[in-house]
Amino acid sequence: MKKIIALLAGGTTGEWVVSVRSALTIAQNIDTELYEVYKIMMNDSGWFYEPSDSVKIDIDKNDFSLMIEGRKIKFDGVFIAIHGSPGEDGKLQGYFDMLNIPYTACNTLTSSITMNKHYTKVIVDGILNLHNAKSVHVFKGGSYSIDKINTDLKLPYFVKPNNGGSSIGMSKVKHADDLSMALEKAFNEDTQVLIEEFVNGREFSVGVFKANGKIKVLPATEVIPANEFFDFDAKYTPGATEEITPGRMSAPELEMVAQIVTDVYEKLGCRGVVRVDYFLERETGKFFFIEINTIPGQTATSFIPQQVAAMGITLKEFYTQLMKETLG
């Protein structure tokens, strides 16, 4: 008997459009012999199912159900494809926990913590072979000093919203005079901002997931942006970034990275598929943790579909493994 699955897309942030594109990839690759899928859209005006031949049908939020032609549809599980809030920060996870509906993503606590870049770095600090760039964590309206930041950190550095994704609101600061403007840009997206020293390294992104009870590491993608750094345009504009999958790493580097990202997955209590971004410092080869994304993009230009192909399995096989592990 098929499981009835809600594919939840949209959201209430600037990442809404990325979520819709991710959901399209997922919907096209779910095994319809195992799952009956309903794509549920979420935006500021509500949660709804929109059949191609009908008007929008609102979700009953009391039990996350649908009423279609007198038939009440209750879901066996939810494939969350919402990037940013409320799909990635624990809000939806808490809602589904209360309704006892399983979902594909990390649990409420892990989702909430990992949306905060600074808190995540504090937790993973101490993992063997993992390094964190020196940073300063500031709050909007707080008592931070721009002069002190410029004294404490070496230029250049990155200024980024502490919560959020897709590099929205992020800047690279090369001159001390530009810090105020970069902070203002980041504070437009969040009330907390992280300022990190630049690491001269090769950038990589790697997917990690659990299947059949075992943590598996996908082939990493090496990221060579045409822009100064891997910003929103570089992430989602075809051709704006050179992406090499599998990334160019030596056998010892591959072994080290696999150990570190597996430890990160375990220490943060992850579920489903996550993506860990990191640098390998050019001079030393040291692994510098950038961030973890607990609902990584699944668009045509996203890393996870590339890495799944490089692993030698289809997206249909990958999503089936993912859903069997997380939804039962």
Side-chain angles (χ1 to χ4, degrees), residues 96-141:
F96 289 124
D97 283 344
M98 288 190 293
L99 293 175
N100 201 29
I101 300 175
Y103 47 85
T104 53
C106 294
N107 66 24
T108 305
L109 180 61
T110 297
S111 299
S112 178
I113 289 172
T114 53
M115 273 295 282
N116 188 302
K117 294 179 176 67
H118 175 70
Y119 295 162
T120 303
K121 285 175 177 285
V122 171
I123 293 171
V124 301
D125 195 43
I127 286 177
L128 180 66
N129 295 319
L130 182 148
H131 300 267
N132 281 316
K134 188 176 180 182
S135 63
V136 175
H137 180 213
V138 298
F139 294 79
K140 194 171 189 175

Side-chain angles (χ1 to χ4, degrees), residues 111-325:
S111 299
S112 178
I113 289 172
T114 53
M115 273 295 282
N116 188 302
K117 294 179 176 67
H118 175 70
Y119 295 162
T120 303
K121 285 175 177 285
V122 171
I123 293 171
V124 301
D125 195 43
I127 286 177
L128 180 66
N129 295 319
L130 182 148
H131 300 267
N132 281 316
K134 188 176 180 182
S135 63
V136 175
H137 180 213
V138 298
F139 294 79
K140 194 171 189 175
S143 57
Y144 63 86
S145 163
I146 287 179
D147 288 339
K148 189 172 189 313
I149 293 169
N150 280 318
T151 300
D152 291 346
L153 299 181
K154 291 187 299 183
L155 287 164
Y157 37 72
F158 287 104
V159 178
K160 59 180 93 169
N162 194 45
N163 300 279
S166 294
S167 302
I168 297 171
M170 184 173 168
S171 303
K172 183 177 181 181
V173 173
K174 300 178 183 177
H175 306 286
D177 292 345
D178 296 332
L179 177 57
S180 294
M181 187 178 298
L183 284 169
E184 183 179 342
K185 179 180 177 181
F187 277 133
N188 284 335
E189 303 297 330
D190 190 18
T191 58
Q192 300 179 38
V193 168
L194 192 63
I195 305 134
E196 289 181 320
E197 283 188 350
F198 171 71
V199 175
N200 182 19
R202 295 180 294 137
E203 186 170 352
F204 296 84
S205 189
V206 64
V208 190
F209 69 107
K210 187 179 278 189
N212 301 316
K214 294 182 179 179
I215 298 173
K216 300 185 178 184
V217 180
L218 291 166
T221 298
E222 186 172 354
V223 183
I224 307 170
N227 297 352
E228 189 115 33
F229 62 92
F230 195 43
D231 60 8
F232 183 90
D233 289 338
K235 283 185 177 180
Y236 300 111
T237 304
T241 300
E242 184 182 356
E243 298 166 4
I244 303 170
T245 308
R248 297 166 296 185
M249 287 186 286
S250 65
E253 287 173 336
L254 284 168
E255 186 177 347
M256 177 185 69
V257 168
Q259 167 257 308
I260 294 170
V261 299
T262 298
D263 289 350
V264 167
Y265 192 98
E266 287 185 319
K267 192 162 189 179
L268 290 171
C270 296
R271 292 174 72 249
V273 61
V274 304
R275 197 191 73 229
V276 178
D277 299 341
Y278 62 95
F279 291 115
L280 291 181
E281 192 171 38
R282 293 187 188 279
E283 291 185 4
T284 66
K286 290 179 179 178
F287 179 110
F288 277 82
F289 178 81
I290 301 175
E291 65 181 15
I292 186 168
N293 186 317
T294 57
I295 301 187
Q298 305 288 333
T299 72
T301 58
S302 294
F303 294 146
I304 297 299
Q306 294 181 42
Q307 294 173 10
V308 168
M311 191 180 224
I313 62 174
T314 66
L315 277 176
K316 181 182 285 188
E317 291 171 316
F318 174 69
Y319 292 141
T320 298
Q321 290 183 31
L322 204 62
M323 293 164 77
K324 283 184 175 178
E325 180 70 28

